[in-house]
Amino acid sequence: MVELRRGNDSAAGVTKSAHNGVGPFFAWQYAYPLAKFGKVRMIRMVCLVLLLVGAPLWARDEVPLRIGLTPVFLDHQTSFLEEWRAYLEGKLHRPVVFAQRSSYRGVVELMLQGELDFAWLCGYPYVRNRNDMTLLAAPVYQGESLYRSYLIVPATDITTRSLVDLRGRIFAYSDPDSNSGYLVTQHRLLESQAGTQGFFRRTFFTWSHRKVVEAVAANVADGGAVDGYVWDTLAQLHPELTARTRVVERSASFGFPPMVARQSVSTADMAAMREVLLEMNGDEQGRALLARLNLEGFQTVEPELYRGIETMMARVLDGRRAAQP
Amino acid sequence: MLHNLSFRYKVPIRSSILILVTALLVTVSLMYRAYDDMRRDLLFNAEGMSRVLVRTLVPAILHDDVWQAYEVIHSAYPMAGNAASVQSELILVLDNAGNTYIANQPTRFPMLSDPAVGGAEFALLKRAALQHQEEIPAVVDLDLAEYLYLVMPIISDRVRLGSLVLGFPRSMFLPRFLTIAKRAAWMTLLSLAVLLPITWYWAGRMARPMVQLANCMERLGETAPEHMQCDLYESQDEIGRLGLSFRRMLGELQEKQGLERQIVVADRLGAIGRLTSSIAHEINNPLGGMLNAIDTFKRHGNCDNQRTHRTMSLLERGLLQIRDTVAALLVEAKAGSHTLTPVDIEDIHTLVAPEAGKKSARIEWHNELEQPIDLPATPVRQTLINLLLNAVHAVEEGGLVRCLVWADNYRLHLQVANDGRHIPADKLEHLFEPFSPVSESGHGLGLWVCYQIAQQLGGDIHVHSEPDYTVFTVALPYGERA
């Protein structure tokens, strides 16, 4: 199939068409020999032609695999996604389409509606919807499929020692369906007897871990809950951003956001996908992609890995019920 | 300090000051204009910006998505709120209570805080923002405020959600002002560089005649007017006219001093004349008696004694000499004499010629008289002889003496010139006094006699002497004028 030796620069041109779910596979084959001559432009033209002529062809032939992505990792990396998509296509011998939504809920809903075959989800929505999803694999980060939640405050705040010190302040969560960016903090508040209601003066969601860091760095929020893996990765890529924040608390370890499959996905597809993921660190290209994610690979995990999240979820739900009259 | 400076420096300094003042005024007006323009541009852009922001903020506020609201206002001025740029655009979103919903400078205006905490101007701003109801941006220009504000309500479907405030720091205008000021300073320097040499040259030209005149007038006290050499500027302008007047004044001054000196000389000579004549008369009376006595004694006395005779003769000679001298002092011009005829003048030529011959001096003789002149011949002849003999004495060997005699307008003119030694100016004043020290031979009465004759005949006598040319002129009125 297609050998991908493109630079990142030309990727932007094809990304848009990729979301339409048709054409890009052919597009690569045709576009590649023309790479030297106005690559992006040529690709766009070919895409357009294929969109009109080739679409029915695809529909009849091979149905693309649809993968939902949530901001559990660093989004904003369109070029990376394009490369990863091409990699997966190469390995699976099938077209692959990524779907991104602004919140976890959007992706979960697509999944439940059968619009997506796979999704990279946070542990929390997985635990909530485990009956409709199958655990495929989880990334390996620092040797384990574990990560933590960080409580961060602006670097200018030198007094805060723990979450309790932030009473009556403004707090940024990443997503109401995020484990590290919401559930952990909620649970921590219940545990500390502070109560989730009215502890903070105001809270808001930024719908992405990275933006929690930005909100805290810009002093929009006095504190924030962020995925520890995201913060650490940001600290490598954008130290100037993380330097404006300070990590106050690190939570216990939880299962890393896993790759899940819709329950109804065929066993063959599931197996193929799992195999590709597990073998990603087996070839150079896969390792390069993993390196850009700051991950070491994927491994199969048991649902027990997410028991901690489940426990917290139950505790928080109980707490909420108790709080309501 | 400047007051006492020469015009040479005053004019360039003054024109430099004028250039600076002009540049300053132009700069200030440019700055004012720039401020006006900038303010107008800024508000124009800000109005568009606030309309867009309000529209974009509505969904975020409706969903209470404060982070989205922050991203919206942050994207308007991405550099604002950085610690590095202290003075940057401020965007405030206020809720209906006037508290901060979100600001692009969250450190200064934290969420939910009262903006009035930020300072008095924000309290005023808050009131203005809340009072503004119309769905158009309004300018809030508070005196001495840090920012220039634009406020606009955020309204969705006639429900007010809050207010948008855009603040533009006034210090943003400063760099533009500095640019203008810098440019103006360069232009001023450039124009000074061009104009200063011109004004310097021009001032020099303008001041030179004044300086010359001033220097000349200053010297007036120290130097006699007739010796003043003034190089004055000639023109019809004020300075030229001033110089002209000064020169005229100088001439009049010279003339006046000359007249004064003549009067002094004449007065002195008159006094001397009166003195000598009275002394002469006082001497003549006893002298006549003494001579008579000696004569009588010689004729009738016993004169056998040789010694007595010698003594008498000695006395007589001495007294006669006194009488001669006194007679010479007592010039009697009007004593009976015949009328002057041309021949009388020619006789003098003949008389003087041998004396001139001794020195091989040449005499140029121009006698223009053709008819008798109504003047006594003797004093006129005596005057002419005296003058001619003096001239012959004055010339060197082979020198030239010129004699001119003419009559016009009832005046007889005798002019005797020679090319001999000239008479120094300081001696001219005492030239006509008796026993004049100028005279090297003789008793120095010759010119005195001439002067007395001229005076008695109602005329005058003048001398002019310069190296190699000395001339005596006598003018005597006759006929009706006399």
Side-chain angles (χ1 to χ4, degrees):
Chain A
M1 283 306 273
V2 183
E3 280 291 311
L4 280 165
R5 270 176 258 140
R6 299 175 300 120
N8 294 347
D9 55 338
S10 58
V14 291
T15 310
K16 282 178 190 160
S17 62
H19 290 299
N20 292 325
V22 272
F25 190 50
F26 270 169
W28 286 120
Q29 286 179 315
Y30 286 97
Y32 184 64
L34 295 164
K36 300 265 180 193
F37 315 96
K39 225 188 280 173
V40 174
R41 211 179 199 182
M42 282 307 295
I43 290 167
R44 275 187 188 160
M45 270 177 68
V46 172
C47 285
L48 196 69
V49 170
L50 287 173
L51 201 73
L52 298 170
V53 181
L57 209 97
W58 274 116
R60 199 173 56 240
D61 230 340
E62 281 191 87
V63 181
L65 280 178
R66 293 155 304 175
I67 304 172
L69 296 177
T70 53
V72 289
F73 68 102
L74 290 171
D75 50 1
H76 299 326
Q77 293 192 22
T78 319
S79 66
F80 164 75
L81 289 180
E82 194 51 43
E83 280 182 42
W84 194 22
R85 196 182 58 76
Y87 174 82
L88 292 175
E89 279 180 348
K91 292 286 180 187
L92 293 166
H93 309 293
R94 279 184 69 174
V96 170
V97 176
F98 282 142
Q100 282 178 288
R101 289 296 177 271
S102 58
S103 67
Y104 290 27
R105 182 163 310 198
V107 174
V108 171
E109 273 168 12
L110 280 179
M111 186 90 165
L112 297 179
Q113 288 160 11
E115 296 290 323
L116 297 174
D117 302 314
F118 304 102
W120 194 357
L121 277 183
C122 181
Y124 180 35
Y126 159 68
V127 167
R128 279 218 303 225
N129 301 284
R130 60 163 50 171
N131 294 335
D132 300 311
M133 297 171 186
T134 308
L135 205 52
L136 209 57
V140 182
Y141 173 61
Q142 293 177 341
E144 296 172 296
S145 287
L146 295 174
Y147 79 126
R148 292 159 197 273
S149 167
Y150 288 177
L151 171 68
I152 55 171
V153 294
T156 49
D157 175 359
I158 51 164
T159 55
T160 302
R161 290 275 160 261
S162 81
L163 181 65
V164 202
D165 296 334
L166 290 173
R167 178 184 287 277
R169 310 290 286 281
I170 290 154
F171 198 82
Y173 291 119
S174 69
D175 192 300
D177 292 317
S178 165
N179 171 51
S180 58
Y182 182 67
L183 186 65
V184 170
T185 310
Q186 291 282 307
H187 181 256
R188 174 91 172 71
L189 287 174
L190 279 176
E191 291 297 298
S192 64
Q193 310 297 321
T196 51
Q197 300 296 311
F199 177 76
F200 296 118
R201 188 163 185 212
R202 196 194 199 298
T203 61
F204 62 90
F205 297 103
T206 66
W207 310 104
S208 132
H209 287 290
R210 182 198 172 109
K211 286 180 180 177
V212 169
V213 181
E214 284 174 8
V216 172
N219 278 49
V220 176
D222 299 315
V226 66
D227 185 325
Y229 149 73
V230 170
W231 193 91
D232 289 336
T233 308
L234 268 178
Q236 287 175 22
L237 299 177
H238 301 286
E240 76 288 345
L241 177 64
T242 49
R244 285 155 63 199
T245 64
R246 180 170 64 91
V247 177
V248 173
E249 282 182 5
R250 288 177 169 83
S251 73
S253 298
F254 300 100
F256 206 96
M259 187 71 94
V260 296
R262 179 163 45 87
Q263 202 72 287
S264 49
V265 170
S266 73
T267 327
D269 284 352
M270 222 184 275
M273 186 68 185
R274 179 178 282 146
E275 196 189 334
V276 169
L277 289 175
L278 294 181
E279 288 174 2
M280 249 184 99
N281 61 355
D283 63 278
E284 203 178 309
Q285 218 178 335
R287 273 197 300 275
L289 289 166
L290 284 168
R292 287 183 67 180
L293 284 170
N294 196 25
L295 294 173
E296 288 133 40
F298 284 87
Q299 64 180 16
T300 50
V301 288
E302 295 304 313
E304 278 68 38
L305 184 65
Y306 301 96
R307 184 62 51 78
I309 298 176
E310 202 175 349
T311 315
M312 278 199 305
M313 181 178 82
R315 173 82 181 82
V316 168
L317 285 177
D318 284 350
R320 273 198 201 147
R321 274 190 217 106
Q324 275 160 8
Chain B
M1 170 66 182
L2 189 68
H3 191 67
N4 292 328
L5 266 182
S6 159
F7 268 101
R8 187 78 192 75
Y9 309 105
K10 247 186 213 174
V11 172
I13 287 172
R14 280 180 185 165
S15 47
S16 301
I17 290 172
L18 213 63
I19 292 166
L20 285 175
V21 167
T22 312
L24 203 71
L25 285 176
V26 169
T27 309
V28 167
S29 71
L30 276 178
M31 277 184 175
Y32 183 76
R33 178 73 196 274
Y35 174 79
D36 234 34
D37 284 355
M38 274 174 76
R39 196 188 129 111
R40 204 172 45 233
D41 290 355
L42 190 78
L43 291 177
F44 181 77
N45 292 333
E47 278 188 26
M49 170 81 84
S50 55
R51 282 176 207 276
V52 171
L53 282 179
V54 161
R55 180 159 289 200
T56 325
L57 282 169
V58 164
I61 297 174
L62 280 177
H63 299 144
D64 198 18
D65 192 340
V66 71
W67 176 251
Q68 195 194 334
Y70 174 77
E71 286 194 317
V72 166
I73 60 171
H74 181 67
S75 65
Y77 298 107
M79 296 316 290
N82 281 3
S85 54
V86 181
Q87 284 293 326
S88 55
E89 297 87 349
L90 171 70
I91 304 181
L92 270 175
V93 179
L94 302 179
D95 60 23
N96 279 332
N99 291 328
T100 309
Y101 181 74
I102 188 72
N104 70 340
Q105 297 181 17
T107 320
R108 192 167 175 198
F109 300 99
M111 220 182 281
L112 303 176
S113 67
D114 186 350
V117 176
E121 71 175 272
F122 296 104
L124 292 170
L125 169 71
K126 176 177 148 184
R127 199 186 310 151
L130 292 179
Q131 280 169 357
H132 184 57
Q133 297 295 338
E134 285 172 84
E135 225 171 322
I136 48 162
V139 178
V140 179
D141 195 351
L142 301 167
D143 287 338
L144 300 173
E146 185 185 348
Y147 293 90
L148 176 67
Y149 298 101
L150 202 74
V151 298
M152 188 173 171
I154 302 170
I155 293 175
S156 167
D157 195 23
R158 281 172 292 174
V159 176
R160 185 170 181 147
L161 303 176
S163 310
L164 174 75
V165 175
L166 294 187
F168 299 96
R170 289 176 195 275
S171 57
M172 268 167 63
F173 298 106
L174 209 64
R176 180 88 74 96
F177 280 173
L178 284 178
T179 314
I180 292 171
K182 210 188 278 175
R183 215 172 286 166
W186 277 114
M187 283 313 291
T188 311
L189 280 179
L190 200 72
S191 47
L192 274 180
V194 173
L195 293 177
L196 210 55
I198 295 174
T199 49
W200 192 264
Y201 169 76
W202 171 64
R205 282 200 57 166
M206 213 173 91
R208 199 181 309 127
M210 279 196 274
V211 172
Q212 278 174 350
L213 189 63
N215 288 343
C216 207
M217 287 173 92
E218 234 166 51
R219 278 194 286 130
L220 188 59
E222 306 155 5
T223 320
E226 65 262 32
H227 297 127
M228 295 248 320
Q229 285 296 313
C230 278
D231 217 7
L232 289 182
Y233 167 79
E234 286 181 18
S235 148
Q236 283 304 307
D237 66 14
E238 284 77 4
I239 296 173
R241 275 156 52 196
L242 209 62
L244 219 63
S245 310
F246 177 68
R247 200 171 286 181
R248 199 161 52 231
M249 191 189 87
L250 210 61
E252 280 166 8
L253 212 61
Q254 247 167 313
E255 207 171 294
K256 187 179 157 240
Q257 286 199 353
L259 272 171
E260 275 172 3
R261 200 173 302 128
Q262 271 180 25
I263 289 166
V264 169
V265 171
D267 280 355
R268 193 165 59 219
L269 289 173
I272 292 168
R274 286 191 297 280
L275 185 68
T276 45
S277 67
S278 56
I279 290 173
H281 282 296
E282 289 306 317
I283 291 171
N284 272 348
N285 287 340
L287 196 64
M290 280 191 275
L291 283 171
N292 274 339
I294 287 169
D295 195 44
T296 309
F297 178 79
K298 274 165 107 177
R299 214 171 282 168
H300 306 289
N302 286 329
C303 220
D304 303 335
N305 191 335
Q306 273 297 314
R307 186 181 289 170
T308 307
H309 189 75
R310 268 205 314 276
T311 305
M312 281 301 154
S313 295
L314 190 70
L315 279 172
E316 190 176 27
R317 281 198 303 281
L319 289 173
L320 282 173
Q321 194 185 340
I322 288 170
R323 194 182 62 183
D324 286 352
T325 307
V326 168
L329 279 170
L330 261 182
V331 181
E332 288 290 348
K334 291 185 176 164
S337 167
H338 68 273
T339 304
L340 183 73
T341 60
V343 183
D344 288 320
I345 305 295
E346 287 306 318
D347 285 349
I348 293 163
H349 189 192
T350 318
L351 281 170
V352 176
E355 198 66 24
K358 286 183 199 164
K359 277 186 123 172
S360 337
R362 208 149 46 82
I363 296 183
E364 267 185 37
W365 197 262
H366 304 276
N367 179 12
E368 292 174 4
L369 293 188
E370 286 166 0
Q371 339 171 333
I373 300 287
D374 185 16
L375 277 171
T378 315
V380 173
R381 279 163 58 104
Q382 194 179 350
T383 302
L384 196 55
I385 288 168
N386 283 353
L387 291 177
L388 280 168
L389 288 176
N390 279 350
V392 168
H393 286 146
V395 295
E396 305 292 328
E397 280 284 319
L400 174 72
V401 173
R402 190 170 59 218
C403 175
L404 271 119
V405 180
W406 77 98
D408 65 3
N409 203 15
Y410 294 104
R411 276 175 93 87
L412 173 73
H413 298 270
L414 313 174
Q415 193 179 67
V416 178
N418 71 76
D419 59 356
R421 294 184 308 278
H422 89 285
I423 307 160
D426 56 333
K427 292 192 173 160
L428 278 175
E429 272 187 45
H430 305 286
L431 197 61
F432 296 105
E433 290 171 17
F435 311 109
S436 164
V438 183
S439 173
E440 286 163 8
S441 56
H443 43 51
L445 283 173
L447 285 173
W448 160 251
V449 169
C450 293
Y451 181 83
Q452 290 293 321
I453 288 167
Q455 287 287 305
Q456 289 179 21
L457 292 179
D460 46 39
I461 180 166
H462 285 286
V463 62
H464 172 82
S465 181
E466 59 188 73
D468 295 334
Y469 185 68
T470 302
V471 59
F472 285 84
T473 309
V474 180
L476 302 170
Y478 66 88
E480 292 174 3
R481 284 289 188 91

